[in-house]
Amino acid sequence: MIVSNWKMNGSKESVEKWLNEVSKNIHPRENNPCVFCPPACYLDLSRKIIDENSSLIKLGSQIIESSTQNALTGGISSQMLKDYSTDYVLIGHSEQREHYKEDNSSLRLKLNSAIQSQISVIFCLGEPEEIKNNNQTQEFLIDQLELLEEEDFGLLTLAYEPIWAIGTGLKAENKYIDNIHGFLKNYCQTRFDLKQNVSVVYGGSVKLENCEEILSSDNVDGLLIGGASLDPETFSKIYNIS
Ligand code: PGA
């Protein structure tokens, strides 16, 4: 799975250009979905352009509200996301954990909301720099996995994004990524007694120049890309390498 996370970037014009170009450049395969996550205000437009191009690009939302009550100013519900045939949603991104003070209990409610509506979840987790330096990464990640349940895994992909690597240009070393992904897969498989494979994608300063090396690990099932995904040509090249 290759995911483009636009964060708070873009305009109507750039969304249109990106989708038209990427639709021509790539042919997403079912076993390697391409997911486009624009800001929520461009979901409708994105849906239209994807359909016009008969493209297999999947639409993903950066946000989802946990509540289904309609008296919530600023909320976007899972039903609204379904209205635009949104297939994926990012939950637990470190920027939202920090800025919106999201914790395991509020993230659990968002997961419930997505999964009840059959929207696939890309669940982000990762450690800050001081935790890595103190060799406490595994304990930290175990705590972030605490809210998950066995039933989630039918619609769940993990996105390992070390916080110190996001937007910094400091991609984690390949051996480190491979180790952590292996740990996440084994831990979930055992803890939740899973039959199926746990899919784990990597995010944090992924670039055209480093993507092939990251993807060469058997424990890496895809990429979650921020900054480098904004340019349609670069993103298409990354998808085509994957
Ligand atoms: P980056 O962001 O690729 O710009 O580091 C990744 C992310 O936050 O999803």
Side-chain angles (χ1 to χ4, degrees), residues 145 153 158 178-191 194 196-201 218-221:
L145 293 167
F153 281 87
L158 295 179
D178 184 56
N179 264 332
I180 300 287
H181 281 221
F183 163 73
L184 289 169
K185 283 170 185 277
N186 285 336
Y187 178 83
C188 291
Q189 217 109 35
T190 312
R191 153 102 195 269
L194 302 174
Q196 75 268 42
N197 188 29
V198 178
S199 182
V200 188
V201 304
D218 284 346
N219 285 326
V220 176
D221 301 300

Side-chain angles (χ1 to χ4, degrees), residues 1-5 32 90 93 122-127 132 137 141 157-182 184-185 198-207 210-226 228-229 235 238 242:
M1 176 190 294
I2 307 293
V3 186
S4 166
N5 174 14
N32 187 29
L90 295 170
H93 193 285
I122 301 166
F123 184 73
C124 307
L125 73 173
E127 81 286 3
K132 175 183 184 263
T137 299
L141 297 177
T157 298
L158 295 179
Y160 171 59
E161 297 203 302
I163 297 172
W164 45 271
I166 295 177
T168 58
L170 297 170
K171 180 193 74 65
E173 300 216 338
N174 293 320
K175 202 166 157 228
Y176 188 78
I177 299 173
D178 184 56
N179 264 332
I180 300 287
H181 281 221
L184 289 169
K185 283 170 185 277
V198 178
S199 182
V200 188
V201 304
Y202 170 80
S205 295
V206 175
K207 304 265 178 283
N210 60 26
C211 67
E212 196 165 2
E213 213 180 341
I214 303 171
L215 288 166
S216 67
S217 159
D218 284 346
N219 285 326
V220 176
D221 301 300
L223 303 168
L224 172 50
I225 316 166
S229 76
F235 180 81
I238 295 176
S242 70

Side-chain angles (χ1 to χ4, degrees), residues 21-160:
E21 255 186 63
V22 176
S23 298
K24 286 188 188 71
N25 293 342
I26 71 167
H27 303 285
R29 302 178 300 277
E30 211 173 309
N31 63 356
N32 187 29
C34 170
V35 184
F36 177 58
C37 302
C41 57
Y42 301 128
L43 283 170
D44 189 19
L45 173 71
S46 301
R47 177 81 268 150
K48 282 199 194 106
I49 303 171
I50 290 171
D51 290 349
E52 273 165 24
N53 280 284
S54 306
S55 168
L56 296 176
I57 294 171
K58 302 282 186 190
L59 196 53
S61 175
Q62 298 175 25
I63 57 170
I64 186 169
E65 201 45 67
S66 50
S67 171
T68 50
Q69 289 183 9
N70 48 14
L72 177 57
T73 304
I76 293 192
S77 69
S78 55
Q79 278 316 308
M80 291 167 182
L81 297 181
K82 289 300 274 187
D83 238 4
Y84 301 127
S85 307
T86 306
D87 292 302
Y88 290 86
V89 62
L90 295 170
I91 294 183
H93 193 285
S94 60
E95 287 153 10
Q96 293 192 336
R97 288 181 192 257
E98 184 184 343
H99 290 282
Y100 300 132
K101 309 277 175 260
E102 291 181 332
D103 58 15
N104 278 2
S105 56
S106 60
L107 292 173
R108 179 67 249 174
L109 296 174
K110 289 187 170 198
L111 263 135
N112 290 347
S113 177
I115 287 173
Q116 275 159 21
S117 296
Q118 293 289 301
I119 297 173
S120 296
V121 174
I122 301 166
F123 184 73
C124 307
L125 73 173
E127 81 286 3
E129 192 168 15
E130 61 273 24
I131 294 287
K132 175 183 184 263
N133 293 342
N134 290 337
N135 289 321
Q136 294 170 325
T137 299
Q138 293 194 0
E139 292 87 333
F140 191 87
L141 297 177
I142 287 173
D143 187 54
Q144 291 189 317
L145 293 167
E146 194 58 46
L147 70 154
L148 298 182
E149 291 164 10
E150 184 190 339
E151 300 73 47
D152 298 331
F153 281 87
L155 284 176
L156 190 96
T157 298
L158 295 179
Y160 171 59

